[in-house]
Each structure stands twice: as C-alpha cells, then as structure tokens.
Amino acid sequence: GDRDRARPRLHDHSARRRTLRILNEIEGHLGGYLLTVTMINFGVGVATGIICVVTGMPTPAGLGALAATLNFFPIIGPVAMFVILAAVGVIAFSTLGAGLIAAALFVGVTFLEGHFVTPTIIGRRLELNALAVFIALAFWTWLWGPMGGFLSSPLLIVGLVLKEHLMPVDVPQLPPD
C-alpha cells in the first residue's frame, strides 16, 4: 500500500535532482564558455586597435571595439570587419597598398585566433579536445552556416555534459550470457 505509493515519488525526486544537477552543470560550463569567448574577442579588439594605431587608421579604438563585437559572429563577423578595414583604409590613404595593410594584418590576427587561440583556450578551459572544438565548428557551420558556428561550442558542451551524466564511464557492465 504505502510503500507502493512512495516508490514512484522517490524515483521522481531523484530524477528531478539528477535533471537539476545536469542543468546546473550545463549552465556553469556555458557561463564559463561565454566569459572565455568574451575575453578572446576583447583580445581580438585590442589587437585590431593596435594594428589601426600602428598603420595610422582613423578611430582605432572604435574599429577595435567593432572588431571585438563582430567577432562574436563566426565567419560573417571577421569577413565584415575585413571589408570595413579595407574600405576605411582605401578611403583614408592615398595608395591602395597602404589602405589594405590594416585589413591584411587583421586577417593574420583572425586566422591565429580562429585556428589556434580559441580552439586551444576553449579546449583547456572546458576540458575539451581542441580537435573536437574544431570539428564541431566545421560541422555545425557546414550544417547551419554562421549561426551553426556560433552555436557549435555550446552544443558540444551540452552534448558532453549530457553524455557524462547519462552514460557514466564508472557504471559496471553486465557480463555476457
């Protein structure tokens, strides 16, 4: 009687606790990810501002802030920033070569950031393999375009947290019949 009614409640309670643990862990990991990406993008903005100062571009602080903001959008953001730097440079300088120096240096910064800095830092910070981060970025960008690129690491984080909780490694396996 009473034991039969109590058993489903205990199960429901433990399932709720497990779900809350999973959601709290996902929230913590995603918060850490967002903070890390924000710091990386701030670094891209500072590097872009320095490039603009060194090359004599107008409003280097504004261009740096724009680069940091646009870098939140994979592929589209850096491409838009390159176009903006090239356009401002061509307008601001008398020769085409001088006008494109800042844009060319920006390509170098975003290449290093996108291929080495972000996969390595995100991988270390969240205990993810840099190759897994890169493959997730490539796959989700291919599947959904720039929005997929934007969501690739959060999706990878959610998937890994769910895998860790729903298929734990330390569960003993039943012997074969």
Side-chain angles (χ1 to χ4, degrees):
D2 288 346
R3 282 179 74 172
D4 292 335
R5 280 199 309 256
R7 199 171 281 139
R9 282 196 195 123
L10 284 174
H11 178 71
D12 289 348
H13 181 68
S14 71
R16 268 191 234 116
R17 274 198 354 250
R18 182 180 192 185
T19 303
L20 279 174
R21 255 196 321 271
I22 292 170
L23 292 175
N24 285 337
E25 191 171 331
I26 288 171
E27 181 182 11
H29 282 294
L30 289 179
Y33 167 76
L34 189 58
L35 178 65
T36 303
V37 166
T38 300
M39 297 309 294
I40 291 169
N41 291 349
F42 179 76
V44 167
V46 168
T48 303
I50 291 170
I51 287 170
C52 291
V53 167
V54 169
T55 58
M57 293 279 280
T59 63
L63 290 170
L66 185 60
T69 304
L70 288 176
N71 209 50
F72 277 99
F73 304 97
I75 302 162
I76 288 181
V79 167
M81 193 64 214
F82 170 80
V83 170
I84 292 166
L85 286 172
V88 170
V90 167
I91 293 167
F93 297 101
S94 56
T95 65
L96 184 64
L100 295 178
I101 292 173
L105 291 172
F106 176 76
V107 168
V109 166
T110 56
F111 179 82
L112 291 173
E113 177 268 325
H115 289 83
F116 300 104
V117 176
T118 296
T120 303
I121 290 175
I122 295 295
R124 267 202 205 113
R125 172 88 173 77
L126 301 171
E127 298 172 7
L128 299 175
N129 182 326
L131 181 61
V133 173
F134 185 76
I135 290 171
L137 176 65
F139 173 76
W140 291 111
T141 302
W142 168 78
L143 190 65
W144 290 341
M147 188 50 67
F150 183 71
L151 294 173
S152 66
S153 287
L155 288 170
L156 181 62
I157 291 164
V158 169
L160 289 173
V161 169
L162 288 173
K163 180 211 159 284
E164 189 179 292
H165 281 274
L166 301 178
M167 295 181 273
V169 178
D170 59 341
V171 173
Q173 298 297 313
L174 292 175
D177 289 322

